[in-house]
Amino acid sequence: MSTIEKVQEDVLVDELTGVNNEIVLYNDDVNTFDHVIDTLIRVCQHTAEQAEQCAILVHYKGKCTVKTGHFDELKPQCTQLLEAGLSAEII
């Protein structure tokens, strides 16, 4: 007679809580590339290359994630982007 053994495993999953928020920048017909790039450098601490790539993506794709992190860290940055006349939101 054979024995059938069932094994139950508990799997632990580490979750990154609060880090899944992102600031999404949207395209508009108002702001210049230079303004968008300068604002991303100033507000999001992007390098010039990062800011330029984001501006290009926003222009051609309509939107781009420009920053990820905890909501509490992103909120003041998103507010500054909005105050600079850019279209952005935290998702």
Side-chain angles (χ1 to χ4, degrees):
M1 181 160 42
S2 64
T3 303
I4 299 175
E5 184 176 326
K6 291 185 178 182
V7 178
Q8 181 178 356
E9 289 184 32
D10 291 329
V11 179
L12 298 176
V13 178
D14 290 333
E15 293 183 24
L16 297 175
T17 55
V19 179
N20 56 350
N21 295 298
E22 37 187 66
I23 297 176
V24 177
L25 184 66
Y26 295 97
N27 190 30
D28 62 43
D29 295 328
V30 179
N31 293 293
T32 65
F33 274 92
D34 287 339
H35 177 65
V36 173
I37 292 167
D38 292 342
T39 305
L40 289 174
I41 291 170
R42 179 176 52 81
V43 172
C44 298
Q45 292 80 43
H46 281 201
T47 64
E49 292 81 12
Q50 284 175 307
E52 183 178 354
Q53 289 175 351
C54 286
I56 291 169
L57 284 171
V58 167
H59 180 72
Y60 287 107
K61 299 289 184 180
K63 65 181 181 177
C64 175
T65 298
V66 294
K67 197 77 171 180
T68 60
H70 294 282
F71 182 84
D72 293 340
E73 296 170 0
L74 299 180
K75 187 172 181 178
Q77 291 177 323
C78 188
T79 299
Q80 290 178 30
L81 293 173
L82 294 172
E83 288 172 351
L86 304 182
S87 299
E89 71 174 341
I90 299 174
I91 60 168

